[in-house]
Amino acid sequence: MPAARTISIALSCALLALVAGLWLGGHPESLPEPLRSAFVDEEAAARAELIETIEENFYEEVDEEALEQASLKGIVQSLDDRFSQYFTPEETEALQQSLQGEFDGVGMTVDAGDRGLVVVSVFEDSPAEGAGIRPEDVITRVNGRSIAGVPLELATARIKGEAGTDVTLTVLRPDSGDRRTVKVERARIVVPITEGEIRRVDGVELGVVELSSFSSGAHGQLRQEIERLLEEGAKGLVLDLRDNGGGLLQEGVLVASIFIEDGEVVSTDGRTKPERVFEARGDAIDEDIPVVVLVNRGTASASEIVAGALRDRERAIVAGTRTFGKGVFQEIEQLDNGGALDLTVGQYFLPDGDNLTENGIRPAVRARDLPRTERDEALPIALETLRDEL
């Protein structure tokens, strides 16, 4: 896209966001109904007029749909909340797939970075693995478009697409500075939500179970894996929540309920949302089975709820490094145009009353993995801590 067109569209979007900001900041709900309706109608008319003027007079042909979507994103961006986002219809479909635990993509988990998407893990036998992509690589461009500064969900949505189609990725290898471009064929990816194994420490068998996300049904899969490990003789459990960025709040409550029989797991409160207390659902595993929760900087949201609840209820020891610190929650509202609004509507609080915004959870036991080595340095510390609990 020519630079002049890019700048013009960016300015247009800024103007549209300003118009929307007047609506959001002006509190038209305080006006009488006839005046409120007129106010909203006037703002909608102004936006439509602005888009129409650009479409008719801009020196190059423009995409009216792209302008409309950009203006909707501008409204949400005016809130200055990094967690609230507007998703286009296409992005909404990709988001729904990710929450279901399967999607069409290349098979890797990523996190936001300054230069693009930082690869956290690559699924075994996935297209990404076949293309030689590995953890710590940075995806800087998707189909030739830079994704530096692009929100995480939008950047990942650009990589996802229909199985059998190709996506071109520019991959930077930080340790060497090498940059290469690879064409990867998308496939149906089933996210490995949980995996477990038995580790022997000082002659004692201990279970290690990793949970990668809190997508729909995650608690059921985790429960099955935990019961398998216990049947195989595990005397204690390490729940590995490293790089688990969260997901559905309800799944977080259900996962915590695997370990906590009753009582509070988390509470929520918001400006327009009444305070609500979420309690454990019962049928927890034997409370005499010791548990260590392993976390790191990539542990966020629902993961922090679980780790914090097990800590506050004295059900587990938390090991690792300080977590992300996401103490707010969002609700997704489906829109008539097929898109969705993911809006921050409140804060959540752990059983002891803490809100984790910015501070996160500080583990009782320090355990840090060195990402540039093949060995997992943090897990042995968590296992030793668990062994000491026995």
Side-chain angles (χ1 to χ4, degrees):
M1 178 183 292
R5 178 180 173 191
T6 302
I7 294 172
S8 298
I9 291 179
L11 290 174
S12 301
C13 293
L15 288 172
L16 290 168
L18 177 60
V19 170
L22 289 174
W23 174 23
L24 291 169
H27 301 293
E29 65 274 8
S30 63
L31 298 172
E33 173 55 34
L35 292 179
R36 180 163 69 248
S37 297
F39 186 94
V40 174
D41 290 344
E42 182 180 345
E43 294 302 323
R47 189 175 75 175
E49 181 182 9
L50 188 57
I51 292 177
E52 182 179 3
T53 301
I54 294 172
E55 185 182 22
E56 292 181 352
N57 297 290
F58 190 62
Y59 80 102
E60 289 184 344
E61 184 177 354
V62 296
D63 185 340
E64 181 180 358
E65 176 66 19
L67 283 177
E68 178 69 23
Q69 297 295 330
S71 70
L72 294 173
K73 286 185 177 292
I75 292 174
V76 181
Q77 289 169 359
S78 71
L79 298 174
D80 195 26
D81 173 41
R82 58 176 173 163
F83 299 118
S84 295
Q85 296 183 64
Y86 164 72
F87 295 101
T88 67
E90 293 76 14
E91 294 164 359
T92 299
E93 183 178 355
L95 176 66
Q96 290 172 338
Q97 288 181 342
S98 66
L99 292 177
Q100 293 170 355
E102 61 179 39
F103 58 90
D104 291 347
V106 299
M108 59 185 180
T109 61
V110 295
D111 197 3
D114 293 337
R115 292 176 289 184
L117 295 175
V118 180
V119 179
V120 175
S121 63
V122 178
F123 300 160
E124 188 176 354
D125 298 327
S126 67
E129 184 183 62
I133 297 173
R134 66 190 191 192
E136 292 194 57
D137 283 351
V138 180
I139 310 299
T140 61
R141 291 179 176 271
V142 179
N143 290 329
R145 299 171 60 189
S146 172
I147 55 173
V150 175
L152 177 63
E153 289 83 358
L154 177 55
T156 55
R158 290 180 181 176
I159 297 176
K160 296 173 183 176
E162 185 178 353
T165 61
D166 293 332
V167 59
T168 301
L169 305 176
T170 301
V171 183
L172 171 67
R173 188 147 289 168
D175 54 357
S176 64
D178 293 340
R179 193 183 304 269
R180 63 194 180 96
T181 300
V182 295
K183 181 178 289 188
V184 187
E185 182 177 329
R186 300 180 178 101
R188 172 50 56 117
I189 304 297
V190 178
V191 181
I193 294 178
T194 182
E195 294 179 320
E197 62 176 335
I198 295 288
R199 292 288 188 96
R200 183 177 291 273
V201 179
D202 296 334
V204 179
E205 292 186 331
L206 303 175
V208 178
V209 59
E210 178 182 355
L211 184 66
S212 62
S213 74
F214 286 82
S215 55
S216 179
H219 73 282
Q221 295 186 43
L222 179 65
R223 181 65 184 251
Q224 290 179 359
E225 194 67 11
I226 287 175
E227 290 180 348
R228 180 183 69 82
L229 294 175
L230 294 177
E231 288 175 0
E232 292 181 4
K235 305 302 182 184
L237 295 168
V238 172
L239 176 60
D240 191 348
L241 296 179
R242 288 177 295 177
D243 297 316
N244 185 325
L248 302 174
L249 172 62
Q250 194 62 41
E251 285 293 333
V253 174
L254 292 171
V255 166
S257 300
I258 296 174
F259 306 95
I260 300 173
E261 179 66 25
D262 53 30
E264 182 178 345
V265 172
V266 67
S267 63
T268 62
D269 197 9
R271 183 177 64 86
T272 62
K273 301 290 181 181
E275 181 180 4
R276 183 177 178 185
V277 177
F278 294 84
E279 297 192 347
R281 302 297 182 86
D283 193 29
I285 63 173
D286 189 341
E287 63 180 11
D288 291 332
I289 298 171
V291 179
V292 171
V293 183
L294 186 56
V295 300
N296 65 3
R297 188 61 174 168
T299 303
S301 190
S303 292
E304 291 175 294
I305 289 176
V306 171
L310 268 60
R311 178 198 65 183
D312 288 0
R313 300 295 306 279
E314 299 183 352
R315 183 61 185 89
I317 296 175
V318 179
T321 58
R322 183 167 66 89
T323 61
F324 182 83
K326 185 174 183 287
V328 294
F329 67 96
Q330 292 71 42
E331 289 185 356
I332 299 178
E333 182 76 19
Q334 297 293 327
L335 304 178
D336 291 341
N337 71 341
L341 174 62
D342 190 14
L343 186 68
T344 299
V345 296
Q347 302 180 80
Y348 65 77
F349 301 88
L350 297 177
D352 281 357
D354 292 339
N355 177 263
L356 299 174
T357 300
E358 296 182 358
N359 294 324
I361 293 175
R362 297 184 181 275
V365 177
R366 174 77 174 177
R368 180 173 178 266
D369 179 42
L370 302 178
R372 296 184 181 277
T373 64
E374 293 185 5
R375 180 171 177 264
D376 184 346
E377 292 85 0
L379 181 57
I381 297 175
L383 286 167
E384 288 290 345
T385 301
L386 182 62
R387 175 66 183 86
D388 291 343
E389 286 299 297
L390 289 169

